[in-house]
Amino acid sequence: MTKANVFEDIESDRERLISMAQRIWETPELGLHEEQSVQVLIDRLKEEGFDIEVELGEMPTAFVASYGSGNPTVGILGEYDALPDLSQKVTSEHDPVEQGAPGHGCGHNLFGVAGVGGAIGVKRAIERGEIDGTIEFYGCPAEETLVGKVFMARDGAFDHLDAAITWHPGNLSTPTLDRSLALDSIQFTFEGVSAHAAASPESGRSALDAVELLNTGVEYMREHISEKARVHYVITDGGDAPNVVPAEATVWYYVRAPTRAEVERISDWLSDIAGGAAAMTQTEVEHRYITGCWDYLPNHTVTAVIWETMQELGKIGYSDDDHAFAADLKETIAGEQIDASLKDVPEEYVDEIQQTGLYDIPVPPHAEGDVGGGSTEVGDVSWITPTGQFRAATWAVGTPAHTWQATAANGDFGQKGAVYAAKVLGGTAYSLLKHPDIVDRANEEFDETTGEQSYETPLPPEAEPPFDITS
């Protein structure tokens, strides 16, 4: 009895998994509002006999599906939210299905479906008596706004897991060893006094002045934060007309850094600057903490099992038509973006990858110790339980996430990549349940790596899921 049985079970569901991915691609929904998408996944899991618990973390589209009993308990994470303004037809030219509508430019129509496919493959192995333990699939909403897993973690959803595994669509198939940036998402709203800007400016107190002073103060702060830290903002409300002193103005900040501790230090400083801006303008400031997340902590033991499984599976097996469409998409991507996507790839693979539009041969884990430029709330899970993740080649070489090129691929050949990802997830979870000693080693590594630093939610007690935030 080997994981080959899991691969075969998932392969037998190929057309159904592709159909599910297509349905979610055709009905893209923004974070915390994924009602149709989440139902596609829940209905399939219920059909297979999973126990379902919904509304985790006070979010109607968050759930966990469980099968089996006892330990080890392995969780597979999945996502299904789309992005604003990324509607796109399956074509190599920018052509929205509906102008301004959302689209799956990050591949989450593939993400959750693959997780469900992997969990079902493992469930059938438990059902046949090949392995013992519990498999759980976590439906995680609103990843794009870094919300879902953070609120689920505050709710204790992952506390009982012995290990977690996940994946993400990408332009290469490879396990992930690089770190991500921890993050805080905070809005500052200033309240002043409205007045006619020409007739009686002395009677007004400008909330917009306060926002601009806050932003200026942050520019001076940048000199004193680490090279990898990032602070960026957008003014979401700056007033209505130039001849009216704005009585209210809002600026939205992201603070990122390689560690949770540095993010908190910068955020505290940012709040101090906001208080100073309010004092200088005689306005009042309100802080709204939207969400925050930890940096990703890769577990080498779990990652090794992922790599072993990817090697067993080999390449995804795209058709000539898939390669041709990917090559057309690649022609629309800037050479600098392609080069940037390959900067950490082992040198012996680079030439071959650059010569094709679609590279589906697994690439060994690399970039260990590097810190990427993005953030993910998988980081929170990774500080709660040993976690491994990987990318699967569902996009043309060099495709950046959050682009129309990714949306086009996710509605076409990327769906075959989701079946491959389901096999990697299912095979990895099978190995962890089959060999509890590997799980023990993963937890020993986790304890050694985290040391005395334990996970604490970044969310203040009063924080609620931000249903009004969609990007």
Side-chain angles (χ1 to χ4, degrees):
M1 294 181 284
T2 69
K3 68 178 81 169
N5 296 332
V6 175
F7 299 155
E8 291 172 7
D9 276 328
I10 294 170
E11 180 62 31
S12 71
D13 281 346
R14 169 177 290 273
E15 294 308 315
R16 189 161 190 178
L17 292 172
I18 288 175
S19 175
M20 290 166 63
Q22 181 65 20
R23 285 174 61 191
I24 295 174
W25 187 85
E26 291 173 352
T27 56
E29 299 168 297
L30 300 178
L32 297 180
H33 303 280
E34 312 99 328
E35 290 87 0
Q36 296 180 74
S37 302
V38 77
Q39 205 58 50
V40 170
L41 306 182
I42 288 177
D43 287 348
R44 183 71 187 99
L45 290 161
K46 281 184 176 178
E47 184 180 345
E48 283 288 333
F50 280 75
D51 294 325
I52 312 288
E53 181 184 353
V54 298
E55 297 197 25
L56 302 183
E58 303 177 26
M59 297 174 291
T61 54
F63 73 96
V64 60
S66 305
Y67 190 90
S69 61
N71 294 322
T73 301
V74 175
I76 296 176
L77 312 179
E79 300 163 10
Y80 29 83
D81 57 325
L83 285 156
D85 199 29
L86 274 179
S87 175
Q88 170 64 29
K89 296 177 183 176
V90 177
T91 176
S92 57
E93 297 180 355
H94 186 202
D95 187 7
V97 175
E98 178 183 349
Q99 192 69 44
H104 277 286
C106 208
H108 294 183
N109 65 307
L110 316 176
F111 197 156
V113 167
V116 167
I120 289 172
V122 176
K123 171 259 178 182
R124 292 176 181 170
I126 295 173
E127 195 174 35
R128 289 191 296 265
E130 295 179 21
I131 49 177
D132 296 318
T134 306
I135 186 68
E136 297 189 341
F137 173 80
Y138 286 84
C140 306
E143 188 278 336
E144 298 296 356
T145 49
L146 299 167
V147 166
K149 299 177 194 67
V150 181
F151 281 83
M152 294 167 76
R154 187 179 70 172
D155 209 30
F158 310 108
D159 290 353
H160 63 285
L161 289 179
D162 295 301
I165 50 176
T166 188
W167 78 293
H168 200 284
N171 65 104
L172 293 176
S173 297
T174 186
T176 306
L177 280 180
D178 54 323
R179 308 285 290 264
S180 63
L181 296 171
L183 173 142
D184 274 345
S185 173
I186 312 170
Q187 286 182 346
F188 298 94
T189 297
F190 292 88
E191 298 285 347
V193 179
S194 182
H196 193 292
S200 58
E202 72 280 359
S203 62
R205 297 294 180 266
S206 174
L208 180 58
D209 285 353
V211 165
E212 292 183 314
L213 284 167
L214 166 57
N215 295 344
T216 299
V218 167
E219 298 309 318
Y220 287 97
M221 180 183 71
R222 291 186 194 278
E223 180 184 356
H224 307 289
I225 60 178
S226 74
E227 183 181 355
K228 284 287 186 179
R230 299 287 184 269
V231 182
H232 27 264
Y233 59 84
V234 60
I235 298 173
T236 59
D237 177 15
D240 297 315
N243 65 336
V244 179
V245 174
E248 183 173 293
T250 299
V251 60
W252 184 8
Y253 268 86
Y254 272 11
V255 176
R256 305 182 200 250
T259 67
R260 185 71 218 157
E262 186 179 6
V263 164
E264 291 173 359
R265 181 180 72 84
I266 297 171
S267 293
D268 287 345
W269 194 347
L270 177 62
S271 295
D272 288 343
I273 297 171
M280 285 188 285
T281 53
Q282 294 187 339
T283 58
E284 301 292 328
V285 62
E286 177 183 335
H287 301 202
R288 182 190 178 192
Y289 189 94
I290 296 171
T291 189
C293 68
W294 284 58
D295 50 299
Y296 174 62
L297 182 68
N299 185 275
H300 292 72
T301 305
V302 177
T303 303
V305 181
I306 291 173
W307 175 233
E308 174 189 274
T309 306
M310 296 179 86
Q311 289 177 289
E312 289 181 46
L313 286 167
K315 64 181 182 180
I316 295 173
Y318 286 122
S319 67
D320 291 343
D321 287 344
D322 297 331
H323 282 276
F325 181 38
D328 290 343
L329 287 171
K330 186 183 176 187
E331 287 296 314
T332 69
I333 300 167
E336 295 86 350
Q337 291 176 321
I338 295 172
D339 292 342
S341 73
L342 301 177
K343 65 181 177 64
D344 297 318
V345 174
E347 189 174 344
E348 62 268 28
Y349 289 85
V350 172
D351 286 345
E352 186 177 2
I353 293 170
Q354 286 179 325
Q355 292 170 17
T356 183
L358 187 56
Y359 191 83
D360 66 344
I361 301 170
V363 175
H366 54 277
E368 182 173 2
D370 289 355
V371 179
S375 304
T376 172
E377 12 86 287
V378 172
D380 291 68
V381 181
S382 75
W383 282 88
I384 295 170
T385 190
T387 302
Q389 62 179 340
F390 66 96
R391 293 185 177 270
T394 60
W395 306 338
V397 169
T399 302
H402 300 194
T403 60
W404 66 263
Q405 292 95 335
T407 307
N410 296 330
D412 191 68
F413 60 82
Q415 295 170 9
K416 297 178 183 178
V419 179
Y420 171 85
K423 293 176 182 178
V424 177
L425 293 166
T428 300
Y430 178 96
S431 291
L432 294 173
L433 293 175
K434 184 74 171 177
H435 304 286
D437 58 307
I438 298 177
V439 177
D440 291 341
R441 292 202 303 274
N443 279 274
E444 289 170 4
E445 177 192 335
F446 177 82
D447 291 340
E448 183 177 341
T449 305
T450 56
E452 296 181 358
Q453 186 173 14
S454 59
Y455 178 78
E456 294 182 7
T457 179
L459 300 171
E462 69 276 8
E464 297 180 352
F467 293 95
D468 59 317
I469 301 294
T470 57
S471 64

